[in-house]
Amino acid sequence: MTIQVGERAICPHCKTPNRFESATNHNGQILSFWNVTNGLDDHNKILRLCRCTNCGEIIIFFGEIMVHPIGSTRPPCPKEVPTDISKDYNEACVIEHLSPKAAAALARRCLQNMLHGQGIIEDNLSKEIESAMKSLPSHLNEAIDSIRNVGNFGAHPIKSTNTGLILEVENGEAEWNLDIIEQLFDFYYVQPAKTKLKKDSLNIKLKEAGKSDMK
Ligand SMILES: [Zn+2]
């Protein structure tokens, strides 16, 4: 995902969702983009700058790749996610555009560990996805199933049996896997934590009123 001047996105520096403006030099001259030719086949790439309106830091893209800062334009991993899972996810986000193969491998391993944490353990990731689908709401059902389809697990069964292995990826596979993992984080960790918080606070009120706990 690239960041465009005038649009809203998550700043890779301050991690705040906000609007981006053109970068300028100290004379106020706008420095926004340059068409750069490679000198071999006259292939053009755009070198583009923008500035975060929250922290004032500069973000640089060369083509679709963010070259400064080296990092992710995705939102930070929710704090409710266990560290062993968030670590793989965060590393995958950092290298998503630099090495989609490595990012996809980390994302698959992250997904498998997340499913193991839910007690879903089978011979391979493909079967684990199938098993997880039985207890997911329909929109997530389709989403998690699409990880196998986008990754072409049928043609590359090793993606399923050795999830952390670095293998060739389909176009957009790493990005897609990380998008789905974000949705699963919300379902498996964030929403249950919110429900627990509400329940705990209700139970305190019930206790104060001399009533028994809500189970
Ligand atoms: Zn910022």
Side-chain angles (χ1 to χ4, degrees):
M1 185 181 76
T2 59
I3 293 172
Q4 302 285 349
V5 169
E7 289 183 3
R8 291 183 69 83
I10 305 265
C11 171
H13 292 284
C14 63
K15 301 287 180 191
T16 309
N18 67 99
R19 199 176 53 79
F20 292 81
E21 61 183 7
S22 299
T24 53
N25 65 13
H26 59 273
N27 293 323
Q29 186 191 354
I30 290 178
L31 309 167
S32 51
F33 69 91
W34 296 263
N35 266 310
V36 186
T37 305
N38 71 7
L40 293 171
D41 55 8
D42 287 344
H43 183 72
N44 271 339
K45 265 198 176 167
I46 298 174
L47 178 65
R48 204 161 47 75
L49 271 71
C50 60
R51 186 159 57 202
C52 170
T53 53
N54 183 56
C55 68
E57 291 287 348
I58 300 295
I59 297 121
I60 307 172
F61 281 90
F62 188 51
E64 295 293 304
I65 295 174
M66 184 168 71
V67 292
H68 175 77
I70 297 291
S72 172
T73 52
R74 289 180 181 274
C77 185
K79 60 180 187 322
E80 293 84 2
V81 177
T83 322
D84 57 326
I85 290 164
S86 66
K87 231 176 141 211
D88 275 352
Y89 169 80
N90 286 331
E91 282 183 31
C93 291
V94 169
I95 56 164
E96 180 181 353
H97 300 293
L98 297 172
S99 173
K101 280 194 281 196
L106 281 164
R108 285 193 302 270
R109 194 171 76 171
C110 174
L111 172 64
Q112 189 164 47
N113 285 334
M114 181 162 35
L115 297 181
H116 287 179
Q118 301 300 317
I120 301 166
I121 301 171
E122 305 277 355
D123 296 344
N124 59 59
L125 181 59
S126 187
K127 284 186 185 169
E128 284 159 350
I129 286 174
E130 212 164 284
S131 188
M133 285 168 69
K134 291 173 192 157
S135 55
L136 288 171
S138 59
H139 69 287
L140 284 176
N141 219 315
E142 285 172 30
I144 197 172
D145 191 27
S146 67
I147 287 182
R148 301 189 292 189
N149 301 330
V150 172
N152 206 356
F153 277 30
H156 306 286
I158 203 159
K159 281 184 184 173
S160 187
T161 51
N162 192 348
T163 54
L165 203 66
I166 313 282
L167 297 160
E168 289 301 326
V169 280
E170 306 299 323
N171 214 0
E173 183 176 346
E175 190 181 358
W176 184 251
N177 287 359
L178 290 170
D179 286 351
I180 308 305
I181 286 173
E182 280 173 17
Q183 294 182 46
L184 291 169
F185 281 168
D186 191 64
F187 180 79
Y188 282 136
Y189 305 110
V190 179
Q191 294 307 327
K194 277 188 188 167
T195 306
K196 185 182 179 303
L197 208 68
K198 282 182 191 162
K199 208 166 114 182
D200 289 350
S201 107
L202 179 65
N203 279 337
I204 290 171
K205 285 179 191 158
L206 288 171
K207 201 175 179 185
E208 282 168 0
K211 293 178 182 167
S212 50
D213 279 9
M214 183 180 73
K215 299 292 172 208

